[in-house]
Amino acid sequence: MSIDMSQFYQVFFDEAAEHLASMETQLLEIDLVAPDSEQLNAIFRAAHSIKGSAGTFGFTDMADVTHVLENLLDRIRKGELALREEMIDAFLAAGDVLKTLLAAHKGEGEADPAAVDATCARLRALTGNGAARKTVRAAEAPAPSDMDGYDIHFVIDGEPESHKGTLDSLMAELGQQGAARLVSVAPAAGQPYRVEIFGHPDAEQLRNVLEFVARSESIRIQRFGAPPAAESPDGAYGFFEPLKPVEAVPTAEEGDGYGFFDSTPVPQAAASPPPVLETAAAPVAEKAGDRGNKPVMAKAGSDTTIRVGVEKVDQLINLVGELVITQAMLLQSATGVDPVQYERLHSGLGQLERNSRDLQEAVMSIRMMPISVVFSRFPRVVREMSQKMGKKVELKLVGEGTELDKSLIERITDPLTHLVRNSLDHGIEMPELRNEKGKPEVGTITLRAYHQSGNIVIEVGDDGAGLDRQKILAKAREKGLAVDDQMTDQEVWQLIFEAGFSTADVVTEVSGRGVGMDVVKRNIHAMGGRVDIESAFGVGTRMTVRLPLTLAILDGMSVAVAGETYILPLGYVVESLQAQPEMTKSISGVRKLLFVRGEYVPVVVLHEVFGVSGAITDYERGIMVIIEADGAKAALFVDALVGQQQVVIKSLEANYRKVAGVSGATIMGDGHVALILDVAVLAAMARNAMPAAA
């Protein structure tokens, strides 16, 4: 029975991506002087699995690259070749090529055949005499009587015209076991091929190789000189061996681990492929890079999990958000009902509120992923950049298990990459300069993640040169920015986020064009976060990014202005107070400042910003809410505080249009829409309106 393998393509794509990521991580961690044998085996298994699976699905270009890659890895792990730095570089380059090929098969761009050929040639050169194929023509092969070997018969599904690429890969693979020759080809669909292999190959390994392309029940492997097998009772060509009982699945070192499928026929899928099950039941699959022979993906751990599409999770989150809004509406409607007469109603609504909150938290946790998904790419970035720049750098990763929303994972990668590159380029000094300063030659960049007050905090720190205050001020003056020597360090550090700002003396491929830090700040603000800087000249710098755990739910403080309700993200709120007459000060008769805790902060009057009439105008009767964003504080003047609550974020721009000072909207319990304020924009309004004399 012919099986449509395309229904399992997504399984292969996901598995191959995991193997490539695992291989890159192991390569960057391995010790060149004394490589760990288990790490070498894990890298080999990853390449081995990709090769076999790619061959199974007909992706011969990936199979060819991993075949050459595997040859070199095999010689290294057997001790025939010593691991060198140039080999690591070649392996990483091969990984990049495989990622490109994988993306091409997914329909995301096109592969570069020249890059594939160059990578294979580079690996063969490093492999030495192990690169030559042992496949020979029939005329060159010795007679069966001259040496040991096997006569092999097998059937490949489909028309013979479509088998060329599969046969080429198969013969190359068999050539690793001995001198192989194709004796006869299948004359028609369902007819057998015949191959002879000379030398001292292992029959079980030959069967493992053939299982990936041939019908399992059609494979016959007979040693030269042995009596022919009895004819099969079903008349299947007269040379098939009876099927053997299935034994325990061998590990990758024993020759398995190519792919996912055993010989059991798999029913055709009616439409889309089913969700891919991930289970930890098979102990063999706990080894890195090995997935066994079943259509499952095993992971170390005790919990059985299932992989589903992100769009399904998003739909579930949206529905739960609507449920939370409906629950809030019911609770609001019940406030006017006698709690004694309708005690059961109030009790039921209270239980519904608790269940809704638990359900909301459970659903949100589905989208949470460890930040190691992002952190794992930086060892490669640091390694390659430090090599190019001639610097010695050690990267330390702390808190890799810290979780945040998948949507944030995807969006924080680029800003963090730029911060790491910035630390390496501007922060870490050259080894000789570090020696002169009494520092170790090897600089340190630390990536740390942790949870704090409902947010995730990501720090990028280095023990490099630190920020030069005077140099930054001088560059700012050159660009015509309004600066003065009385600015605080925090205000000076924020200047590096200005568009086009750079302190680099020489333009390189890494820095000097003034493009990057402004994009970092803009992207982080778009995620509802902020970035702060701490630096000591000659000691080092630490960039701290604070983000909400998710973009779907917000902890907020609701405030009232003339009957309208606005939501302030709680992470930006410092305090709230009722101003006394002596605390306010007018500048030029227009601008108002609030003196609080020894400093003057500008006042932003919300009813003026949004043009709302009927609001409280007397500062002594309203409420001042102190907010802080980008190292600057402002006081928002509102009528009253309503309360603190979690709200479901809706996009205002998608449903209406972009409004200055507003980042989104939500539906309150009474059914009314409340705007979520963009605190960073409001703080910038206040800062820009501050008179220079203040």
Side-chain angles (χ1 to χ4, degrees):
M1 179 182 66
S2 177
I3 299 174
D4 178 15
M5 300 300 284
S6 64
Q7 62 180 307
F8 301 109
Y9 279 177
Q10 191 58 47
V11 180
F12 167 72
F13 295 151
D14 293 341
E15 281 283 85
E18 289 179 11
H19 287 315
L20 288 170
S22 170
M23 189 167 68
E24 182 171 299
T25 300
Q26 297 281 358
L27 286 168
L28 293 169
E29 291 177 353
I30 201 164
D31 185 354
L32 283 174
V33 178
D36 181 77
S37 60
E38 191 53 42
Q39 280 186 308
L40 287 173
N41 285 331
I43 297 167
F44 174 83
R45 285 193 297 265
H48 192 65
S49 297
I50 294 171
K51 180 186 72 173
S53 301
T56 300
F57 290 101
F59 301 137
T60 54
D61 49 3
M62 294 186 67
D64 289 343
V65 174
T66 44
H67 175 72
V68 183
L69 174 64
E70 184 190 50
N71 286 343
L72 179 53
L73 286 167
D74 193 40
R75 295 198 66 192
I76 293 171
R77 71 175 187 148
K78 290 178 179 178
E80 297 175 9
L81 293 174
L83 185 64
R84 305 192 302 273
E85 185 75 29
E86 59 184 319
M87 292 179 177
I88 299 292
D89 294 338
F91 292 149
L92 293 172
D96 291 339
V97 166
L98 288 169
K99 290 175 186 176
T100 304
L101 292 173
L102 186 64
H105 289 304
K106 292 166 68 176
E108 302 170 358
E110 296 182 0
D112 182 4
V116 174
D117 293 341
T119 298
C120 291
R122 183 178 180 184
L123 292 170
R124 288 192 185 99
L126 290 169
T127 306
N129 57 18
R133 287 186 176 181
K134 297 180 182 177
T135 305
V136 296
R137 297 188 181 91
E140 299 171 351
S145 58
D146 295 340
M147 60 188 303
D148 194 10
Y150 291 94
D151 191 11
I152 303 171
H153 298 77
F154 55 91
V155 174
I156 301 177
D157 284 327
E159 297 296 329
E161 293 80 8
S162 65
H163 296 166
K164 184 179 185 306
T166 302
L167 277 176
D168 287 344
S169 296
L170 176 63
M171 294 303 294
E173 183 64 32
L174 292 174
Q176 298 302 305
Q177 307 293 326
R181 68 175 178 177
L182 183 61
V183 178
S184 62
V185 298
Q191 296 298 308
Y193 286 90
R194 181 186 174 196
V195 172
E196 291 179 342
I197 185 167
F198 309 95
H200 304 282
D202 180 88
E204 189 61 32
Q205 289 196 17
L206 293 176
R207 176 173 288 277
N208 287 337
V209 172
L210 291 164
E211 287 276 3
F212 290 108
V213 297
R215 292 186 197 167
S216 181
E217 74 278 4
S218 73
I219 299 171
R220 190 195 72 166
I221 303 174
Q222 183 175 337
R223 187 179 293 278
F224 292 144
E231 185 170 332
S232 174
D234 62 3
Y237 314 120
F239 53 74
F240 295 145
E241 293 179 340
L243 290 175
K244 298 178 181 178
V246 178
E247 299 178 354
V249 181
T251 64
E253 289 101 329
E254 294 168 338
D256 194 28
Y258 287 121
F260 313 98
F261 307 101
D262 59 16
S263 58
T264 306
V266 181
Q268 292 277 10
S272 59
V276 182
L277 185 67
E278 298 182 351
T279 175
V284 63
E286 293 182 3
K287 295 188 177 183
D290 186 34
R291 298 293 183 184
N293 247 14
K294 304 290 182 183
V296 299
M297 293 183 288
K299 286 187 176 180
S302 57
D303 297 331
T304 299
T305 59
I306 187 168
R307 175 181 284 155
V308 298
V310 175
E311 65 281 353
K312 293 183 179 180
V313 178
D314 288 341
Q315 183 182 14
L316 185 60
I317 289 173
N318 289 335
L319 290 173
V320 170
E322 296 300 326
L323 176 63
V324 170
I325 292 171
T326 304
Q327 175 268 324
M329 288 180 176
L330 289 173
L331 193 62
Q332 181 82 13
S333 300
T335 54
V337 177
D338 185 353
V340 176
Q341 185 178 359
Y342 296 96
E343 180 184 358
R344 293 184 63 185
L345 173 62
H346 279 271
S347 176
L349 288 173
Q351 183 65 38
L352 176 62
E353 182 180 13
R354 289 189 292 273
N355 290 344
S356 297
R357 174 60 67 93
D358 291 344
L359 177 62
Q360 186 183 65
E361 292 177 353
V363 170
M364 292 307 303
S365 69
I366 296 175
R367 280 186 63 97
M368 304 302 277
M369 295 178 63
I371 201 168
S372 58
V373 176
V374 179
F375 280 10
S376 61
R377 68 172 53 203
F378 293 121
R380 174 82 178 273
V381 172
V382 171
R383 179 182 185 272
E384 294 185 347
M385 274 193 63
S386 58
Q387 284 181 339
K388 287 181 181 179
M389 303 174 70
K391 295 182 178 181
K392 298 180 180 179
V393 185
E394 176 188 5
L395 178 65
K396 293 183 178 179
L397 304 177
V398 183
E400 298 164 89
T402 306
E403 293 187 330
L404 74 162
D405 192 286
K406 178 177 173 21
S407 60
L408 287 171
I409 286 275
E410 295 166 350
R411 296 172 62 180
I412 195 59
T413 301
D414 287 343
L416 284 184
T417 300
H418 191 88
L419 290 179
V420 170
R421 289 164 63 94
N422 195 70
S423 285
L424 212 159
D425 186 28
H426 293 284
I428 303 297
E429 309 97 329
M430 298 296 287
E432 56 272 16
L433 184 57
R434 291 181 65 87
N435 276 333
E436 292 175 9
K437 293 180 177 180
K439 293 182 177 182
E441 276 193 352
V442 180
T444 302
I445 295 177
T446 304
L447 267 174
R448 178 181 286 105
Y450 55 91
H451 288 146
Q452 184 183 74
S453 303
N455 292 323
I456 183 169
V457 181
I458 307 170
E459 297 178 355
V460 181
D462 64 71
D463 64 347
L467 296 179
D468 188 332
R469 176 188 171 94
Q470 296 306 318
K471 189 172 185 179
I472 293 173
L473 286 173
K475 288 284 185 178
R477 290 189 179 98
E478 285 181 16
K479 290 186 60 64
L481 299 177
V483 297
D484 61 77
D485 292 333
Q486 305 306 314
M487 294 172 67
T488 65
D489 283 346
Q490 280 299 319
E491 292 172 329
V492 173
W493 305 153
Q494 289 295 321
L495 291 172
I496 69 174
F497 293 114
E498 293 290 334
F501 193 93
S502 176
T503 58
D505 297 318
V506 179
V507 174
T508 67
E509 62 179 291
V510 177
S511 65
R513 295 174 176 83
V515 178
M517 293 301 281
D518 60 320
V519 178
V520 168
K521 182 179 179 180
R522 186 164 62 248
N523 290 348
I524 290 174
H525 282 180
M527 291 182 277
R530 68 180 194 268
V531 55
D532 300 318
I533 304 175
E534 300 172 74
S535 184
F537 186 65
V539 177
T541 302
R542 179 167 60 199
M543 306 272 186
T544 304
V545 177
R546 287 180 173 83
L547 296 168
L549 288 179
T550 175
L551 298 181
I553 304 293
L554 173 73
D555 281 315
M557 175 183 287
S558 50
V559 299
V561 178
E564 299 290 340
T565 302
Y566 298 91
I567 306 296
L568 283 169
L570 202 59
Y572 291 96
V573 177
V574 178
E575 60 179 318
S576 59
L577 53 92
Q578 196 159 21
Q580 300 302 315
E582 65 274 9
M583 297 174 65
T584 58
K585 176 184 177 183
S586 296
I587 300 292
S588 303
V590 179
R591 295 301 304 165
K592 284 283 187 179
L593 298 178
L594 181 70
F595 186 75
V596 57
R597 304 196 185 282
E599 63 178 322
Y600 284 99
V601 296
V603 176
V604 177
V605 183
L606 276 189
H607 71 259
E608 293 179 357
V609 173
F610 297 114
V612 180
S613 60
I616 294 175
T617 56
D618 185 354
Y619 284 6
E620 283 72 45
R621 290 178 51 212
I623 298 291
M624 295 286 186
V625 182
I626 310 300
I627 59 169
E628 183 175 9
D630 302 332
K633 290 182 179 179
L636 300 185
F637 179 63
V638 300
D639 290 6
L641 302 180
V642 178
Q644 178 182 334
Q645 62 195 107
Q646 276 196 331
V647 296
V648 179
I649 301 173
K650 303 290 185 180
S651 172
L652 186 65
E653 189 171 355
N655 295 288
Y656 176 55
R657 63 179 175 84
K658 187 171 180 61
V659 178
V662 176
S663 61
T666 189
I667 301 175
M668 304 299 289
D670 58 3
H672 287 88
V673 173
L675 299 180
I676 301 171
L677 300 180
D678 191 331
V679 175
V681 170
L682 294 175
M685 288 181 183
R687 187 169 59 248
N688 294 336
M690 279 283 287

